Amino acid sequence: MLDVAVIEEPAAAEASLDPIRRRILAALAEPGSAAALAARLGLARQKVNYHLKELERHGLVELAEERRKGNVTERVYRATAASYVISPAVLAAVSPDPSRSPDQLSARWLLALGSRLVQEVGTLLTGAARAQRRVASFGIDAEVRFASAADRTAFADELGEAVATLVARYHDESAPGGRSHRVVVGLHQIPAAPTPTPDTAPDTATAPDSGPGQENAR
C-alpha cells in the first residue's frame, strides 16, 4: 500500500468523491471483505459489492486475498493507498495556470503554484514508491503575525531578496549530472475559524485583509 496516491483520471476522482465510497476507502485501510464492510458500515452487502467493483475498476482498491469458506470464495480487499490526493490536472479546465499572470501579489497565482506543487510532488511520490526509493525534498512551515501591512510588505521584500540571493549562489545551469529543483515560497493570511452566528452581518474583524485590493493582497 502506498502512503499517498495521486488520482490523475477524472473518472477515478469522481469515484473517490462518492460519500459511500469515501467511507469504504477509509475502512479499507485494513483489509476487509464485502460482508465485513457491510456490517461495519451498516450497509447492504449488495451495495458494498457494487461500490467495491467500481473502486477496483479505477485502481483505488485491490484484491488482497481470497478465502475459501465451504462452497463460497470470500474476496478480501484493501485500499491501494493510505490516503489519496486529486491532481489539479484532473480539473484542468478550472485549475489556475502558474505560467499565466505571474504576479507575486496575486492570490490566484499563489494557488496555481500550490496546485502545481501537489501535481509534481504527487508524481514524484508515485514513482519513488514503485522504485522503492525516497523523494529528496525539503519544506518549511512557519507562522508570523505582522503588526501592520507595512511590516508585511517589508517582510515579503526581504524574503524575496534572500531567496533570489540563494538561488543565484547555488544555481549551476551547466553542471554535468545536475538535477533541477523547484523552490516555492508563499505567504498568505491564515483564514479565521468560522464563528456561527444567527443571520448576522459578516464580522469584518475576521474578513481577509484586502490591502491594495483583495485579489492582490499579500
Side-chain angles (χ1 to χ4, degrees):
M1 177 189 290
L2 300 173
D3 288 334
V4 180
V6 180
I7 299 174
E8 300 280 358
E9 297 295 327
E14 183 179 358
S16 71
L17 292 173
D18 179 272
I20 293 178
R21 292 171 192 168
R22 288 206 309 268
R23 294 174 62 196
I24 292 174
L25 282 174
L28 286 179
E30 298 292 335
S33 64
L37 286 169
R40 192 186 316 172
L41 301 177
L43 299 170
R45 180 174 176 175
Q46 184 178 5
K47 178 176 287 189
V48 171
N49 264 322
Y50 167 75
H51 288 297
L52 279 173
K53 289 178 182 178
E54 287 299 301
L55 291 170
E56 185 179 24
R57 184 163 68 91
H58 294 295
L60 300 175
V61 304
E62 61 187 1
L63 183 66
E65 62 174 310
E66 292 184 333
R67 300 170 181 165
R68 190 72 179 177
K69 289 187 174 181
N71 296 327
V72 178
T73 299
E74 183 180 55
R75 295 167 63 85
V76 178
Y77 293 89
R78 66 185 171 204
T80 54
S83 59
Y84 299 87
V85 176
I86 297 177
S87 169
V90 173
L91 305 174
V94 296
S95 179
D97 183 353
S99 66
R100 298 177 58 188
S101 303
D103 177 6
Q104 288 183 319
L105 300 183
S106 168
R108 288 186 176 87
W109 194 55
L110 179 59
L111 184 62
L113 294 180
S115 296
R116 184 176 62 187
L117 178 68
V118 170
Q119 185 175 1
E120 291 183 345
V121 175
T123 300
L124 287 173
L125 280 172
T126 301
R130 290 171 180 166
Q132 296 185 334
R133 299 178 62 181
R134 296 187 63 184
V135 176
S137 62
F138 174 73
I140 293 178
D141 179 34
E143 181 177 335
V144 56
R145 184 179 179 88
F146 298 109
S148 66
D151 285 351
R152 182 181 60 199
T153 299
F155 176 89
D157 290 341
E158 289 186 41
L159 181 61
E161 291 173 5
V163 172
T165 298
L166 281 171
V167 169
R169 181 186 304 167
Y170 290 100
H171 179 68
D172 190 340
E173 189 68 38
S174 60
R179 293 187 175 183
S180 296
H181 290 66
R182 193 180 305 285
V183 179
V184 177
V185 179
L187 175 66
H188 65 83
Q189 189 173 342
I190 300 174
T195 303
T197 53
D199 300 329
T200 57
D203 183 358
T204 55
T206 61
D209 183 4
S210 60
Q214 187 164 338
E215 156 59 15
N216 290 329
R218 283 196 210 240

